[in-house]
Amino acid sequence: DSGVTQTPKHLITATGQRVTLRCSPRSGDLSVYWYQQSLDQGLQFLIQYYNGEERAKGNILERFSAQQFPDLHSELNLSSLELGDSALYFCASSVAIGPYEQYFGPGTRLTVT
Amino acid sequence: KNEVEQSPQNLTAQEGEFITINCSYSVGISALHWLQQHPGGGIVSLFMLSSGKKKHGRLIATINIQEKHSSLHITASHPRDSAVYICAVLGRGQGAQKLVFGQGTRLTINP
């Protein structure tokens, strides 16, 4: 158990809908990362937050957004969902920014039908 | 060409064999991670390296910064080692905030 929790574990929704994925980092970790793993693209970095502020962006679509709250949990919002958004979404946390160990949550499997 | 390349993509071996998975990268890095992903999907961080060698149980990871190359070795492999092993690099400066992943190596250890 990494100490990072993600909810829900599975999510099935229809095209055009909006969903929210939630992540709670390990106790004491200030940095949260979101990753997407799809069959054709592999693992990709989406976005990073540190202590409530966005610090880095990767290949995140404009339909996706995220935030980190004062209690350090983070939410990833996916809107106007398309079939191609079906993927595993992982959250990870680390103590700070830079070359620190990242601890991964169990992931949320999103299926868009 | 991907920034991070792993080889082989698939590896099947017999229990007890010595396993080597390779990772080459093309950018300057501040650290390299080796991750393990089991069939259920969960990802576990095995090592984070910025130089030299690290050992944990039967797993050994090495990195050669000059050659931009890292290897993950498994000694006395066991069927429970069957998983996908993923190499990921953390860049420098602004790039030090996002991991870039290899495509993974699927390892199957037969009893």
Side-chain angles (χ1 to χ4, degrees):
Chain A
D1 183 0
S2 67
V4 178
T5 60
Q6 287 187 250
T7 56
K9 281 185 84 165
H10 301 277
L11 200 45
I12 301 174
T13 190
T15 54
Q17 294 300 304
R18 173 189 165 95
V19 297
T20 297
L21 312 184
R22 184 188 166 106
C23 167
S24 292
R26 277 188 341 149
S27 176
D29 285 357
L30 298 178
S31 196
V32 169
Y33 309 79
W34 285 99
Y35 299 99
Q36 180 194 56
Q37 186 178 37
S38 59
L39 279 175
D40 55 344
Q41 296 282 340
L43 268 164
Q44 290 194 93
F45 168 77
L46 293 179
I47 197 163
Q48 182 209 7
Y49 280 81
Y50 177 75
N51 205 20
E53 289 189 17
E54 180 188 306
R55 297 303 296 264
K57 255 184 171 175
N59 300 323
I60 187 165
L61 299 170
E62 282 192 16
R63 299 183 285 107
F64 296 2
S65 65
Q67 53 184 324
Q68 187 180 26
F69 294 86
D71 68 352
L72 300 177
H73 91 272
S74 178
E75 293 180 358
L76 179 67
N77 301 296
L78 316 176
S79 61
S80 303
L81 285 167
E82 302 176 359
L83 295 177
D85 299 327
S86 296
L88 262 170
Y89 292 85
F90 289 99
C91 163
S93 73
S94 67
V95 62
I97 298 172
Y100 294 94
E101 196 83 39
Q102 289 191 26
Y103 297 88
F104 285 77
T108 293
R109 186 175 295 278
L110 174 66
T111 303
V112 182
T113 62
Chain B
K1 190 177 190 294
N2 293 334
E3 289 181 13
V4 182
E5 295 276 354
Q6 286 184 237
S7 63
Q9 286 196 27
N10 293 284
L11 180 55
T12 299
Q14 291 299 121
E15 183 173 355
E17 285 189 39
F18 181 81
I19 303 298
T20 297
I21 299 170
N22 296 298
C23 175
S24 296
Y25 52 92
S26 57
V27 297
I29 68 169
S30 58
L32 182 144
H33 294 249
W34 280 104
L35 309 171
Q36 180 192 55
Q37 186 170 29
H38 275 283
I43 295 176
V44 174
S45 178
L46 298 175
F47 295 102
M48 189 191 70
L49 293 162
S50 53
S51 65
K53 177 178 174 176
K54 284 190 176 179
K55 184 174 191 288
H56 184 246
R58 295 181 295 106
L59 272 58
I60 303 165
T62 63
I63 189 167
N64 185 318
I65 296 293
Q66 285 71 34
E67 293 186 6
K68 292 188 165 62
H69 182 269
S70 176
S71 293
L72 176 68
H73 305 286
I74 305 175
T75 62
S77 59
H78 190 275
R80 65 173 173 267
D81 298 324
S82 297
V84 175
Y85 292 84
I86 303 168
C87 168
V89 300
L90 196 64
R92 294 199 201 116
Q94 282 296 314
Q97 304 190 51
K98 49 185 179 181
L99 284 176
V100 178
F101 298 88
Q103 75 274 35
T105 295
R106 185 174 300 275
L107 174 66
T108 303
I109 305 294
N110 292 318

